[in-house]
Amino acid sequence: MTDSFDNRRILIVDDNRAIHQDFQKILAKRPTSDLSQLEAELFGQKISKPQTKQSAFELDNAYSGNEALEKVRQARNARAPYALAFIDVRMPPGWDGIETVEQLWQVDPNLQVILCTAYSDHSWQETFERLGNSDNLLILKKPFEDVEALQMANAMIHKWNAAKQAGIKMIQLEQLVDVRTEKIAKQNQQLEDKITELNHTRAQLIQSEKLAAIGQLAAGIAHEVNNPMGYVHSNLDVLKGYVDAIVKVCHSFDSLLAEAKCHPTLKSFTQRFEQDKQQQELSYILEDMPQLVQEALNGTARVKGIVADLKDFSHMSQAQKSEEDINQLIEQAINISKNETKYHANIIKDFVSLPLLPCWRNRLVQVILNLLINASQAIDKDGQIVIATRANGKDVNITIEDNGSGIAPEHIDKVFDPFFTTKEIGSGSGLGLHICHTIIESHGGALTVASEQGKGTKFTITLPLKT
């Protein structure tokens, strides 16, 4: 009934059964009437055109306020509420009309009410103070004309249906607004996702350009250093042979001098030679010279290793994965970062034998290098960085743990966000850890962080053995 917006249900509330019969006659008297017909009858005018038929009222009766309340409650629960109630003011015993209206409106605030009164126990001021200046209430003074009651009933029924229809329209409008709002919110989210994606792509491009520039610089430096270091190492290797020969000859000469001391004619010669030998500290030179050459050879070998690592690192365009020993990649990253880390911390390696892992080697070196440098920057001095590797049959785990300043709790969830940095302006772009996280994810792995402020930070890289 409410869905058709033609609810014509009326509840008559009066303790007098004769009144119910009167209302039955009045409201059933004009099933075809409308406001124009009522106006014609009221003023004695003739109707020139036939009127459109209206549906008959659906009447129900209650003989006390309590019974009316129960019927209104049941009608609401059945989703067939009353549109209008005619309520008599005086209904002894029990609730009077005003208290009945108060009770009914608590159950159904939309119920239209026509309060019928001739002699009331309440003043008009008291009535309005209790019921308020509601547009759901009309007063019908007894005795009343049939057409007056009928006109009021039609007007209030029409008002209820119009309000109901307006409410439905408002709900529909709100639903349309909700749908449109949801659509706009979805479009906004898509736009935000697109902006995030573009920022992410931009960050990767910036980082790629930086790495490409670093790679070119590293390749150029490696080339320039490698050539002179090659002949320096070669010459040192030859020099080592010369030094060994000189030392051998000097030792043989010492034996000859020992024999020459027995000949009186050579005594002065041997004395002068011993004197010169002591003045020039020849014994110390002969002992120290091979060690110096060997240390120089070790140094050049180390430089050549660093150059080789730089040359490997400069090849950033590796297109396909290769089977790599993770421990060797970590060693390469340690060698490249040594100039940065040696002033801050001692690096402790805790490696175990690992199976070969399919990966982009240079990208992993980049990740480990970045984490090592970050760890060293978190340490003032005399700290330590522990790098450990483990394997469990499915994954390879790499942990890089420092005993530096740690990360504040409010920042721990943001460290992998692009452009987030706690460094001073100009000291960091906020892209390093974000790129590291992206690289590890591209391997099908995970990069996580745990930190306690003032005690240190631990990054854990998990890489699958099969990808």
Side-chain angles (χ1 to χ4, degrees):
M1 181 173 296
T2 56
D3 294 336
S4 64
F5 309 118
D6 191 22
N7 180 8
R8 302 182 67 79
R9 298 194 72 202
I10 299 176
L11 180 64
I12 311 299
V13 186
D14 199 302
D15 61 325
N16 188 340
R17 292 183 180 273
I19 298 297
H20 287 271
Q21 294 174 1
D22 291 340
F23 272 109
Q24 185 71 31
K25 294 175 182 178
I26 294 170
L27 299 178
K29 183 178 179 181
R30 298 288 193 272
T32 61
S33 64
D34 61 7
L35 291 178
S36 298
Q37 185 173 357
L38 292 173
E39 182 182 3
E41 291 188 6
L42 183 62
F43 296 102
Q45 299 173 349
K46 292 184 179 180
I47 302 174
S48 58
K49 295 181 180 180
Q51 302 303 309
T52 303
K53 289 187 176 181
Q54 294 180 345
S55 302
F57 295 116
E58 181 182 343
L59 303 182
D60 198 359
N61 302 307
Y63 298 95
S64 67
N66 286 322
E67 184 182 359
L69 179 63
E70 184 60 29
K71 288 200 171 189
V72 169
R73 181 182 289 114
Q74 291 177 359
R76 289 275 295 181
N77 293 339
R79 301 176 66 84
Y82 297 103
L84 171 64
F86 281 92
I87 303 175
D88 188 28
V89 171
R90 302 194 66 179
M91 291 187 297
W95 297 337
D96 63 9
I98 294 178
E99 188 172 359
T100 299
V101 174
E102 289 176 332
Q103 296 292 332
L104 296 185
W105 276 351
Q106 290 183 19
V107 175
D108 187 354
N110 297 320
L111 179 66
Q112 307 297 305
V113 174
I114 298 176
L115 200 59
C116 305
T117 178
Y119 303 99
S120 176
D121 295 333
H122 304 278
S123 66
W124 292 111
Q125 183 64 31
E126 184 181 358
T127 298
F128 284 110
E129 284 180 356
R130 289 183 59 180
L131 298 180
N133 188 18
S134 172
D135 61 358
N136 289 353
L137 176 67
L138 289 179
I139 304 297
L140 181 61
K141 188 174 180 181
K142 299 178 182 178
F144 50 81
E145 296 289 338
D146 293 359
V147 68
E148 185 180 4
L150 190 56
Q151 185 183 29
M152 282 187 173
N154 272 297
M156 297 297 268
I157 288 288
H158 177 75
K159 178 175 175 293
W160 189 95
N161 284 295
K164 181 65 175 179
Q165 185 172 9
I168 295 296
K169 290 294 185 183
M170 183 60 69
I171 292 174
Q172 292 173 345
L173 181 60
E174 289 175 351
Q175 290 174 344
L176 288 175
V177 171
D178 289 343
V179 170
R180 179 59 62 88
T181 302
E182 183 179 356
K183 184 177 180 181
I184 293 174
K186 186 176 181 181
Q187 291 174 340
N188 287 339
Q189 185 61 48
Q190 290 174 346
L191 182 60
E192 289 179 4
D193 292 343
K194 196 66 177 179
I195 292 172
T196 301
E197 182 181 352
L198 289 174
N199 285 334
H200 181 260
T201 303
R202 176 175 174 271
Q204 287 185 317
L205 288 174
I206 292 173
Q207 189 71 2
S208 297
E209 290 177 0
K210 285 184 176 181
L211 291 174
I214 293 172
Q216 291 177 355
L217 179 63
I221 293 174
H223 178 74
E224 293 299 326
V225 171
N226 197 46
N227 287 337
M229 191 54 60
Y231 60 73
V232 168
H233 185 82
S234 178
N235 290 345
L236 283 173
D237 195 41
V238 174
L239 180 61
K240 183 177 183 299
Y242 293 166
V243 169
D244 291 343
I246 291 173
V247 170
K248 184 176 181 180
V249 170
C250 287
H251 287 321
S252 298
F253 194 68
D254 282 342
S255 298
L256 292 174
L257 286 176
E259 295 177 3
K261 289 179 181 179
C262 300
H263 300 277
T265 56
L266 298 175
K267 185 175 181 180
S268 60
F269 172 76
T270 58
Q271 287 177 347
R272 286 197 309 271
F273 184 80
E274 287 289 346
Q275 187 178 5
D276 290 340
K277 182 179 176 182
Q278 290 177 0
Q279 288 178 351
Q280 299 298 328
E281 297 182 344
L282 183 61
S283 298
Y284 174 77
I285 292 174
L286 292 175
E287 181 181 352
D288 193 44
M289 190 162 50
Q291 295 180 9
L292 292 177
V293 173
Q294 187 59 51
E295 288 176 1
L297 283 170
N298 292 340
T300 57
R302 181 178 170 187
V303 171
K304 290 180 69 176
I306 293 174
V307 168
D309 290 339
L310 284 173
K311 289 176 69 176
D312 285 342
F313 184 68
S314 67
H315 298 308
M316 298 303 296
S317 59
Q318 182 184 10
Q320 295 182 346
K321 292 181 178 181
S322 57
E323 299 281 337
E324 300 293 340
D325 184 339
I326 296 300
N327 291 334
Q328 291 182 1
L329 299 188
I330 296 174
E331 291 281 8
Q332 182 179 346
I334 291 174
N335 287 336
I336 296 173
S337 66
K338 187 161 291 185
N339 186 63
E340 176 71 26
T341 59
K342 67 181 180 180
Y343 299 107
H344 300 276
N346 179 37
I347 295 180
I348 301 173
K349 293 178 285 187
D350 180 13
F351 295 168
V352 298
S353 179
L354 299 174
L356 296 179
L357 181 78
C359 65
W360 290 286
R361 58 169 293 140
N362 295 315
R363 297 182 192 178
L364 281 188
V365 172
Q366 175 190 345
V367 171
I368 298 167
L369 180 61
N370 194 303
L371 295 178
L372 281 173
I373 293 175
N374 281 356
S376 68
Q377 291 175 346
I379 298 171
D380 289 333
K381 60 180 180 179
D382 300 330
Q384 71 176 24
I385 302 172
V386 180
I387 307 177
T389 58
R390 297 291 185 270
N392 58 15
K394 296 188 301 182
D395 302 314
V396 167
N397 293 320
I398 307 167
T399 58
I400 300 176
E401 185 173 5
D402 65 72
N403 60 352
S405 58
I407 302 172
E410 62 270 20
H411 296 153
I412 196 71
D413 294 330
K414 302 177 183 177
V415 294
F416 297 122
D417 292 348
F419 307 109
F420 175 78
T421 179
T422 57
K423 297 178 182 178
E424 296 180 358
I425 297 175
S427 299
S429 64
L431 294 174
L433 287 177
H434 174 67
I435 296 296
C436 290
H437 192 267
T438 302
I439 290 173
I440 297 303
E441 282 191 336
S442 70
H443 284 80
L447 175 60
T448 58
V449 59
S451 182
E452 187 173 352
Q453 198 165 14
K455 293 188 176 181
T457 303
K458 180 179 181 180
F459 284 92
T460 301
I461 302 171
T462 303
L463 296 168
L465 286 170
K466 294 182 180 180
T467 57

